[in-house]
Amino acid sequence: MDEADRLHMNSLEAIRSIFDDGGVGMVLIGMPGIEKRVARFPQFYSRIGFVHEFRPLDEAQMTRLLNERWLPAGVRLPDVALAPDVIATLIRMSGGNFRLLTRLLTQVERILKVNQSEIVSKEIVTAARDSLVIGQG
């Protein structure tokens, strides 16, 4: 469940009930500090198995991911390996943030379609970044 940190206590109680009745596991994803917030609700907190903080991917992990031609679900890019300068640009712009990388690659696909292009270039990646609300690249 993404953005679980935004849920109110009634929603967390409903999740607890589903967990108790359904025999299913759940993964709650939220901003840092979510574990401190839910710790105030012992009925809910007692069901948490562990907490894991995801850190941004480092440059080597990002390079490997992009060299292995990983793409977000549903995104299709030309069947050509990304050039090293494109990979470097994606790494710099995303800063290791997996969600931001997903958004960038999704936007790259859209820009390629609009421009009827088959080449992912630094300029295409820059245009993708400029069309997203993500701050400075």
Side-chain angles (χ1 to χ4, degrees), residues 51-102:
V51 175
H52 177 77
E53 180 180 344
F54 288 93
R55 293 177 207 46
L57 300 173
D58 63 30
E59 187 174 339
Q61 292 168 321
M62 293 280 289
T63 301
R64 179 174 169 214
L65 193 68
L66 293 167
N67 278 331
E68 290 177 359
R69 301 180 54 193
W70 171 86
L71 292 173
V75 172
R76 302 230 186 274
L77 293 181
D79 198 23
V80 177
L82 297 173
D85 63 329
V86 171
I87 290 174
T89 302
L90 286 164
I91 292 169
R92 180 179 53 78
M93 289 180 181
S94 67
N97 181 312
F98 194 74
R99 181 177 282 183
L100 182 51
L101 177 63
T102 297

Side-chain angles (χ1 to χ4, degrees), residues 2 10 13 17 20 24 28-29 34 41 59-60 70 77 86 96 98 104 119 129 131 137:
D2 196 8
N10 288 342
E13 279 299 317
S17 179
D20 289 348
V24 297
L28 302 178
I29 301 170
I34 185 175
F41 306 104
E59 187 174 339
W70 171 86
L77 293 181
V86 171
F98 194 74
L104 274 170
I119 300 170
R129 183 209 58 214
S131 66

Side-chain angles (χ1 to χ4, degrees), residues 6 35 105 110:
R6 298 177 52 126
E35 68 279 2
L105 291 172
R110 188 186 77 70

